[in-house]
């Protein structure tokens, strides 16, 4: 990962970085599928790839013009600051078209864009970054607390992938769309860095319609959102590798002196 433009928050990936990034994306996808299916074998999965441009009226109102990149030639469009709205739109399409009923997952790995403040690369506050997000849509009346039950398996998954200490913490922010948000952090560069956010969201307004005994039943829906910063996964893994090499060099040097 290299910063070659004279602009903060824009990174180049080399071939080895790209290979690792694909490996992480594929591994996380398969592991999360297994974790969710262990909770409920009825989960169905739909992968999408949404455009980088999004209608401005779909952008969450928590983002101001200071946060997002607006296309001034067409003020109705913006570079998307997150993947959630496009996944929601596709989830509504699945329900409207009778393709799927809850529980189902709409997921994508996609670029997002934000006007982040300039900071050293180690903080990974990027203006263009890759998100892997899983919007897990389920009936609000389910007895399974999906969020609580997946926290530890997901934390362990990341610890196994990166081989660094991880922890689960309550998020220091609770957006108005969330009933509860928990973060998974990894210990790198002598500090904790957020790599994943897991929220129980209440802002998917579409209802599911079930047919039962010649009548229809409408059900409210909730969303378990699993949002992963793939660039941060790559960064922390590479930092761990550099640290391992440095430590091994020190050991080898001490051995040679002895």
């Amino acid at each position: 990962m290299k910063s070659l433009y004279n602009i903060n928050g824009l990174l180049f990936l080399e071939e080895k970085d790209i290979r690792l990034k694909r490996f992480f994306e594929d591994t996380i996808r398969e592991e999360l599928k297994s974790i969710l299916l262990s909770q409920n074998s009825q989960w169905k999965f739909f992968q999408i790839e949404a455009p980088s441009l999004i209608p401005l009226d779909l952008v969450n109102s928590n983002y101001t013009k200071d946060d997002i990149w607006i296309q001034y030639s067409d003020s109705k469009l913006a570079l998307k600051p997150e993947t959630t709205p496009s996944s929601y739109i596709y989830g509504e399409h699945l329900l409207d078209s009778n393709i799927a009923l809850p529980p189902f997952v709409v997921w994508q790995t996609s670029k997002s864009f934000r006007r982040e403040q300039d900071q050293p690369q180690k903080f990974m506050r990027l203006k263009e970054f890759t998100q892997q997000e899983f919007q897990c849509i389920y009936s609000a009346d389910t007895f399974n607390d999906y969020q609580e039950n997946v926290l530890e398996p997901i934390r362990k998954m990341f610890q196994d992938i990166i081989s660094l200490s991880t922890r689960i913490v309550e998020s220091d922010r609770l957006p108005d769309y969330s009933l509860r948000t928990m973060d998974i952090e990894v210990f790198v560069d002598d500090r904790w860095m957020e790599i994943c956010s897991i929220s129980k969201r209440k802002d998917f307004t579409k209802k599911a319609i079930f047919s039962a005994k010649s009548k229809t039943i409408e059900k409210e829906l909730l969303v378990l959102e699993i949002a992963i910063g793939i660039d941060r996964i790559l960064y922390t893994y590479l930092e761990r590798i550099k640290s391992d090499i440095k430590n091994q060099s020190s050991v080898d040097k001490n051995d040679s002196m002895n």
Side-chain angles (χ1 to χ4, degrees), residues 28-29 31-36 38-39 132 134 136 146-162 164 166-168 182-185 195-199 224-228 233:
I28 291 168
R29 176 196 67 219
E31 289 296 318
L32 279 181
K33 282 185 177 180
S34 295
I35 290 169
L36 288 169
S38 71
Q39 293 295 314
Q132 189 171 31
F134 298 78
C136 312
Y146 289 118
Q147 184 191 41
E148 182 63 29
N149 292 336
V150 304
L151 285 172
E152 177 56 23
I154 293 176
R155 181 206 65 78
K156 185 177 184 302
M157 173 190 72
F158 286 121
Q159 183 159 293
D160 290 344
I161 289 173
I162 306 172
L164 288 172
T166 57
R167 69 178 184 181
I168 301 166
M182 304 295 291
D183 294 336
I184 295 178
E185 298 178 339
I195 55 173
C196 176
S197 182
I198 303 173
S199 296
L224 172 68
E225 177 184 68
I226 305 169
I228 300 154
I233 301 293

Side-chain angles (χ1 to χ4, degrees), residues 3-256:
S3 181
L4 300 179
Y5 290 143
N6 190 26
I7 299 174
N8 186 274
L10 297 175
L11 294 180
F12 281 73
L13 298 187
E14 298 173 310
E15 185 176 350
K16 60 180 173 49
D17 301 325
I18 296 168
R19 289 199 305 268
L20 280 170
K21 188 176 178 182
R22 288 174 181 159
F23 168 76
F24 294 140
E25 292 170 4
D26 292 344
T27 301
I28 291 168
R29 176 196 67 219
E30 293 305 314
E31 289 296 318
L32 279 181
K33 282 185 177 180
S34 295
I35 290 169
L36 288 169
L37 288 171
S38 71
Q39 293 295 314
N40 185 343
S41 62
Q42 298 304 306
W43 282 106
K44 298 167 287 293
F45 299 85
F46 299 88
Q47 181 183 10
I48 66 168
E49 184 175 308
S52 292
L53 289 169
I54 189 171
L56 196 54
D57 60 358
L58 292 181
V59 175
N60 192 298
S61 59
N62 290 323
Y63 293 108
T64 70
K65 291 184 178 180
D66 293 330
D67 300 318
I68 61 177
W69 301 94
I70 298 175
Q71 300 301 295
Y72 287 105
S73 60
D74 185 346
S75 59
K76 295 180 181 179
L77 294 174
L79 287 170
K80 67 179 188 294
E82 60 180 351
T83 67
T84 307
S86 55
S87 292
Y88 274 21
I89 288 291
Y90 193 80
E92 292 174 4
H93 160 72
L94 292 175
L95 292 169
D96 288 338
S97 304
N98 296 315
I99 296 173
L101 284 172
F104 64 86
V105 180
V106 178
W107 72 275
Q108 57 180 306
T109 303
S110 183
K111 289 291 187 72
S112 293
F113 309 83
R114 295 181 194 164
R115 291 182 179 273
E116 292 286 358
Q117 294 181 351
D118 289 351
Q119 294 186 15
Q121 183 175 317
K122 67 178 183 178
F123 294 107
M124 291 298 287
R125 305 296 295 185
L126 304 179
K127 295 177 173 65
E128 177 181 338
F129 54 96
T130 302
Q131 289 180 300
Q132 189 171 31
E133 288 200 352
F134 298 78
Q135 306 298 336
C136 312
I137 299 169
Y138 63 97
S139 299
D141 61 355
T142 184
F143 291 111
N144 193 331
D145 187 347
Y146 289 118
Q147 184 191 41
E148 182 63 29
N149 292 336
V150 304
L151 285 172
E152 177 56 23
I154 293 176
R155 181 206 65 78
K156 185 177 184 302
M157 173 190 72
F158 286 121
Q159 183 159 293
D160 290 344
I161 289 173
I162 306 172
S163 295
L164 288 172
S165 297
T166 57
R167 69 178 184 181
I168 301 166
V169 296
E170 191 110 24
S171 178
D172 58 5
R173 62 196 185 283
L174 184 65
D176 55 11
Y177 58 72
S178 177
L179 294 170
R180 183 190 186 211
T181 297
M182 304 295 291
D183 294 336
I184 295 178
E185 298 178 339
V186 61
F187 194 73
V188 63
D189 297 332
D190 296 321
R191 62 192 175 82
W192 291 98
M193 175 186 287
E194 178 189 334
I195 55 173
C196 176
S197 182
I198 303 173
S199 296
K200 183 186 293 186
R201 298 182 65 133
K202 58 183 179 180
D203 59 341
F204 188 81
T205 57
K206 192 79 176 177
K207 295 181 180 179
I209 300 176
F210 294 84
S211 298
K213 296 181 179 179
S214 70
K215 66 177 181 179
T216 58
I217 301 172
E218 284 191 350
K219 287 194 175 184
E220 302 280 348
L221 301 174
L222 293 174
V223 178
L224 172 68
E225 177 184 68
I226 305 169
I228 300 154
I230 293 294
D231 302 290
R232 290 189 173 192
I233 301 293
L234 177 60
Y235 172 81
T236 54
Y237 178 86
L238 293 174
E239 288 299 297
R240 196 266 297 170
I241 294 296
K242 285 196 294 186
S243 177
D244 288 349
I245 293 173
K246 182 178 179 181
N247 291 338
Q248 185 60 49
S249 297
S250 297
V251 171
D252 293 341
K253 183 177 180 179
N254 290 334
D255 287 345
S256 64

